[in-house]
Amino acid sequence: MAYGCIVNMATKNMSDDVIQLDQLLELDKVIHERVRLGIMSALSASKKLTFNDIKQVLKATDGNLGMHLRMLEKHEYIEVEKKFVGRKPQTSYQISEKGQKAFRHYICIIEKLVSELK
Amino acid sequence: MNKNEIVQNINYIKNVISSSTEYTNLSGKASILSGMVAVSGYFATQYLAGPNVFSQQIDYFHPFVVVWLMVFLLAITLNIIFIKRKAKTTGQPAWSRLARMIFDAIFPAIVVGALLTLYCINNNSPQWIPIVWMGMYGLGVWCASLFSVKAVRFLGASFIITAMLCLFFLQQYAMLMLAISFGGYHIVYGVWLYCKYGD
């Protein structure tokens, strides 16, 4: 909630319907994309998910999902664990501390935006 | 970002979180049918073994055991069929991570229930069997509810409470309570599920 005041300042003199906040208030670009937002939401609700678990929840394709997961990994928002289950490789993902903070920040801003719009 | 986009984002987050923490392929119809099977099981037992089932010596081939084993298997089969069917319409796989968790949650209670049943039969104390079934099933369902919608927890709690009432106050009505719980509760729960979520 520490970010609330920034949002407050930013939204005060804007029109009711449309807010050009993006420049003022970096809505985290890493999270602000549909698939990546989905990944972060799913991982924030469960401790650890495999690639297939995430795929099932988000109904995304392998390539697309892989790309977004790599991006989140690059920014250290998620931690990756690779192991073998029998002969099959299995990759599972977990939200990192940095990712958790970023996600909370993102939600915080969204929350604020909603309350400003009401 | 405009209003619509924000609201959409929030709904999306909500949906993703609930679909990764709640199993929703449960079928109301299957529950109603299973309830009916249980009620038929009750009448079949009454017809085949008379009203005082538990005053008799019971072995593995006694009508009570055979009928209720069939009820159990039939109810499981019905649920698998309907869950698979529903999974097709919701686009969520029937055997997902949440389904595995539900299975893990309910499995120990069912195994212990089965072993206690064997013990009761072998030690000639069949009057405890309905209480064991209701209690163990209730515990299993309660645990499973951690990975599904709230209504499942009510079902689990109802079974546990009924088992305890039966144990302390209504032992002579154990057989009837079996029909009311496995039959009645499942039908009520199934109707509720059907009205709320459809199918």
Side-chain angles (χ1 to χ4, degrees):
Chain A
M1 288 315 236
Y3 306 98
C5 50
I6 310 172
V7 185
N8 230 342
M9 274 157 45
T11 48
K12 215 151 226 175
N13 302 317
M14 300 279 168
S15 70
D16 278 332
D17 229 355
V18 182
I19 312 165
Q20 253 91 46
L21 269 173
D22 298 33
Q23 303 115 344
L24 291 163
L25 233 203
E26 298 129 75
L27 249 174
D28 194 337
K29 289 272 181 341
V30 183
I31 299 181
H32 192 58
E33 189 284 330
R34 199 154 178 87
V35 177
R36 292 197 292 273
L37 180 58
I39 296 170
M40 294 302 279
S41 307
L43 286 177
S44 74
S46 329
K47 216 166 65 189
K48 192 188 269 184
L49 294 173
T50 65
F51 186 88
N52 280 329
D53 295 336
I54 301 177
K55 197 176 120 184
Q56 283 170 5
V57 171
L58 299 185
K59 295 175 192 118
T61 61
D62 281 21
N64 191 14
L65 186 58
M67 186 185 85
H68 290 299
L69 281 165
R70 269 196 302 281
M71 172 143 184
L72 287 170
E73 190 189 346
K74 201 181 87 192
H75 285 84
E76 292 170 347
Y77 281 15
I78 56 174
E79 285 159 10
V80 186
E81 187 192 305
K82 285 179 179 164
K83 63 172 183 190
F84 277 86
V85 176
R87 279 186 185 180
K88 277 189 190 157
Q90 192 189 59
T91 318
S92 35
Y93 301 87
Q94 209 171 333
I95 200 161
S96 70
E97 216 169 288
K98 188 179 168 192
Q100 223 152 32
K101 251 185 213 159
F103 186 62
R104 226 175 287 149
H105 182 186
Y106 183 87
I107 297 280
C108 204
I109 293 177
I110 296 258
E111 234 172 30
K112 204 69 201 175
L113 286 175
V114 170
S115 66
E116 295 288 329
L117 286 172
K118 256 173 194 167
Chain B
M1 203 155 70
N2 62 34
K3 204 177 193 167
N4 257 344
E5 212 182 320
I6 298 171
V7 173
Q8 259 176 25
N9 264 357
I10 292 174
N11 284 337
Y12 179 61
I13 295 171
K14 253 167 56 187
N15 282 341
V16 168
I17 289 178
S18 74
S19 66
S20 64
T21 51
E22 282 178 357
Y23 190 71
T24 48
N25 284 331
L26 301 171
S27 160
K29 272 188 206 156
S31 186
I32 296 169
L33 287 175
S34 309
M36 287 173 176
V37 172
V39 173
S40 332
Y42 168 75
F43 286 114
T45 319
Q46 298 283 302
Y47 177 74
L48 293 169
N52 294 316
V53 181
F54 300 129
S55 57
Q56 314 160 15
Q57 179 94 19
I58 281 187
D59 59 22
Y60 296 134
F61 302 104
H62 189 275
F64 170 76
V65 179
V66 176
V67 166
W68 284 91
L69 187 64
M70 275 162 58
V71 168
F72 179 68
L73 293 176
L74 197 57
I76 288 190
T77 315
L78 277 169
N79 273 285
I80 291 176
I81 293 170
F82 277 84
I83 283 175
K84 276 193 166 164
R85 247 185 42 175
K86 189 166 181 189
K88 257 184 207 158
T89 59
T90 59
Q92 285 224 359
W95 188 243
S96 60
R97 176 178 137 273
L98 285 169
R100 282 198 304 277
M101 285 168 129
I102 287 185
F103 182 81
D104 287 352
I106 208 168
F107 184 68
I110 301 294
V111 171
V112 172
L115 292 176
L116 287 173
T117 306
L118 287 183
Y119 182 88
C120 289
I121 294 173
N122 289 334
N123 290 278
N124 199 24
S125 35
Q127 72 275 22
W128 305 116
I129 293 178
I131 295 164
V132 165
W133 285 354
M134 289 185 283
M136 284 299 153
Y137 181 73
L139 290 173
V141 171
W142 175 282
C143 292
S145 78
L146 295 174
F147 310 104
S148 193
V149 291
K150 271 273 149 57
V152 181
R153 187 162 307 177
F154 281 113
L155 183 69
S158 314
F159 270 94
I160 296 169
I161 291 167
T162 311
M164 293 303 107
L165 280 178
C166 205
L167 177 63
F168 288 108
F169 307 110
L170 303 163
Q171 269 181 36
Q172 67 273 37
Y173 302 112
M175 196 60 211
L176 182 66
M177 295 302 264
L178 203 57
I180 292 175
S181 61
F182 280 95
Y185 293 0
H186 276 139
I187 293 174
V188 172
Y189 161 79
V191 169
W192 188 88
L193 212 60
Y194 184 80
C195 294
K196 182 124 196 238
Y197 300 102
D199 204 348

